[in-house]
PDB file of all heavy atoms in Angstrom:
ATOM      1  N   ASN A  46     186.752 -78.230 101.926  1.00  0.00           N
ATOM      2  CA  ASN A  46     188.252 -77.947 102.239  1.00  0.00           C
ATOM      3  C   ASN A  46     188.930 -77.708 100.802  1.00  0.00           C
ATOM      4  O   ASN A  46     188.888 -78.574  99.965  1.00  0.00           O
ATOM      5  CB  ASN A  46     188.796 -79.249 102.935  1.00  0.00           C
ATOM      6  CG  ASN A  46     189.852 -78.888 103.926  1.00  0.00           C
ATOM      7  OD1 ASN A  46     190.651 -78.030 103.615  1.00  0.00           O
ATOM      8  ND2 ASN A  46     189.952 -79.761 104.954  1.00  0.00           N
ATOM      9  N   GLN A  47     189.724 -76.636 100.775  1.00  0.00           N
ATOM     10  CA  GLN A  47     190.305 -76.305  99.478  1.00  0.00           C
ATOM     11  C   GLN A  47     191.800 -76.033  99.695  1.00  0.00           C
ATOM     12  O   GLN A  47     192.182 -74.873  99.437  1.00  0.00           O
ATOM     13  CB  GLN A  47     189.686 -75.212  98.747  1.00  0.00           C
ATOM     14  CG  GLN A  47     188.207 -75.541  98.452  1.00  0.00           C
ATOM     15  CD  GLN A  47     187.611 -74.619  97.407  1.00  0.00           C
ATOM     16  OE1 GLN A  47     188.279 -73.990  96.589  1.00  0.00           O
ATOM     17  NE2 GLN A  47     186.310 -74.262  97.554  1.00  0.00           N
ATOM     18  N   PRO A  48     192.614 -76.988 100.169  1.00  0.00           N
ATOM     19  CA  PRO A  48     194.062 -76.694 100.307  1.00  0.00           C
ATOM     20  C   PRO A  48     194.726 -76.412  99.015  1.00  0.00           C
ATOM     21  O   PRO A  48     194.432 -77.013  98.005  1.00  0.00           O
ATOM     22  CB  PRO A  48     194.552 -77.933 100.951  1.00  0.00           C
ATOM     23  CG  PRO A  48     193.726 -79.062 100.692  1.00  0.00           C
ATOM     24  CD  PRO A  48     192.293 -78.315 100.532  1.00  0.00           C
ATOM     25  N   GLY A  49     195.674 -75.513  98.916  1.00  0.00           N
ATOM     26  CA  GLY A  49     196.425 -75.206  97.737  1.00  0.00           C
ATOM     27  C   GLY A  49     197.625 -76.151  97.519  1.00  0.00           C
ATOM     28  O   GLY A  49     198.110 -76.322  96.399  1.00  0.00           O
ATOM     29  N   VAL A  50     197.970 -76.826  98.576  1.00  0.00           N
ATOM     30  CA  VAL A  50     199.096 -77.791  98.548  1.00  0.00           C
ATOM     31  C   VAL A  50     198.805 -79.074  99.390  1.00  0.00           C
ATOM     32  O   VAL A  50     198.245 -78.903 100.550  1.00  0.00           O
ATOM     33  CB  VAL A  50     200.285 -77.067  99.299  1.00  0.00           C
ATOM     34  CG1 VAL A  50     201.478 -78.008  99.420  1.00  0.00           C
ATOM     35  CG2 VAL A  50     200.765 -75.803  98.523  1.00  0.00           C
ATOM     36  N   LEU A  51     199.096 -80.142  98.795  1.00  0.00           N
ATOM     37  CA  LEU A  51     198.987 -81.418  99.494  1.00  0.00           C
ATOM     38  C   LEU A  51     200.356 -82.072  99.677  1.00  0.00           C
ATOM     39  O   LEU A  51     201.131 -82.090  98.771  1.00  0.00           O
ATOM     40  CB  LEU A  51     198.118 -82.400  98.813  1.00  0.00           C
ATOM     41  CG  LEU A  51     196.593 -82.127  98.714  1.00  0.00           C
ATOM     42  CD1 LEU A  51     195.853 -83.341  98.084  1.00  0.00           C
ATOM     43  CD2 LEU A  51     196.023 -81.931 100.090  1.00  0.00           C
ATOM     44  N   ILE A  52     200.629 -82.434 100.946  1.00  0.00           N
ATOM     45  CA  ILE A  52     201.927 -83.112 101.284  1.00  0.00           C
ATOM     46  C   ILE A  52     201.679 -84.489 101.585  1.00  0.00           C
ATOM     47  O   ILE A  52     201.121 -84.843 102.700  1.00  0.00           O
ATOM     48  CB  ILE A  52     202.603 -82.307 102.541  1.00  0.00           C
ATOM     49  CG1 ILE A  52     202.619 -80.848 102.199  1.00  0.00           C
ATOM     50  CG2 ILE A  52     203.951 -82.965 102.809  1.00  0.00           C
ATOM     51  CD1 ILE A  52     202.904 -79.942 103.416  1.00  0.00           C
ATOM     52  N   ASP A  53     202.060 -85.418 100.711  1.00  0.00           N
ATOM     53  CA  ASP A  53     201.741 -86.825 100.842  1.00  0.00           C
ATOM     54  C   ASP A  53     202.814 -87.499 101.679  1.00  0.00           C
ATOM     55  O   ASP A  53     203.962 -87.385 101.368  1.00  0.00           O
ATOM     56  CB  ASP A  53     201.785 -87.411  99.479  1.00  0.00           C
ATOM     57  CG  ASP A  53     201.288 -88.896  99.293  1.00  0.00           C
ATOM     58  OD1 ASP A  53     201.233 -89.382 100.461  1.00  0.00           O
ATOM     59  OD2 ASP A  53     201.104 -89.335  98.266  1.00  0.00           O
ATOM     60  N   ILE A  54     202.232 -88.203 102.844  1.00  0.00           N
ATOM     61  CA  ILE A  54     203.363 -88.760 103.766  1.00  0.00           C
ATOM     62  C   ILE A  54     203.218 -90.249 103.591  1.00  0.00           C
ATOM     63  O   ILE A  54     203.910 -90.988 104.446  1.00  0.00           O
ATOM     64  CB  ILE A  54     203.000 -88.323 105.281  1.00  0.00           C
ATOM     65  CG1 ILE A  54     201.474 -88.751 105.622  1.00  0.00           C
ATOM     66  CG2 ILE A  54     203.189 -86.931 105.484  1.00  0.00           C
ATOM     67  CD1 ILE A  54     201.222 -88.632 107.048  1.00  0.00           C
ATOM     68  N   GLY A  55     202.499 -90.717 102.611  1.00  0.00           N
ATOM     69  CA  GLY A  55     202.318 -92.169 102.463  1.00  0.00           C
ATOM     70  C   GLY A  55     203.520 -92.964 102.235  1.00  0.00           C
ATOM     71  O   GLY A  55     203.478 -94.255 102.425  1.00  0.00           O
ATOM     72  N   ARG A  56     204.624 -92.379 101.672  1.00  0.00           N
ATOM     73  CA  ARG A  56     205.697 -93.254 101.404  1.00  0.00           C
ATOM     74  C   ARG A  56     206.891 -92.956 102.468  1.00  0.00           C
ATOM     75  O   ARG A  56     207.976 -93.451 102.204  1.00  0.00           O
ATOM     76  CB  ARG A  56     206.356 -92.722 100.075  1.00  0.00           C
ATOM     77  CG  ARG A  56     205.370 -92.824  98.902  1.00  0.00           C
ATOM     78  CD  ARG A  56     205.403 -94.230  98.224  1.00  0.00           C
ATOM     79  NE  ARG A  56     204.422 -94.412  97.122  1.00  0.00           N
ATOM     80  CZ  ARG A  56     204.620 -94.153  95.900  1.00  0.00           C
ATOM     81  NH1 ARG A  56     205.880 -93.972  95.504  1.00  0.00           N
ATOM     82  NH2 ARG A  56     203.624 -94.343  95.051  1.00  0.00           N
ATOM     83  N   ILE A  57     206.581 -92.410 103.599  1.00  0.00           N
ATOM     84  CA  ILE A  57     207.547 -92.245 104.630  1.00  0.00           C
ATOM     85  C   ILE A  57     207.711 -93.491 105.437  1.00  0.00           C
ATOM     86  O   ILE A  57     206.794 -93.835 106.195  1.00  0.00           O
ATOM     87  CB  ILE A  57     207.295 -90.980 105.582  1.00  0.00           C
ATOM     88  CG1 ILE A  57     207.147 -89.684 104.709  1.00  0.00           C
ATOM     89  CG2 ILE A  57     208.342 -90.858 106.606  1.00  0.00           C
ATOM     90  CD1 ILE A  57     206.730 -88.545 105.538  1.00  0.00           C
TER      91      ILE A  57
END
Side-chain angles (χ1 to χ4, degrees):
N46 209 327
Q47 298 194 35
V50 174
L51 288 188
I52 304 163
D53 189 346
I54 58 169
R56 304 268 176 102
I57 301 177

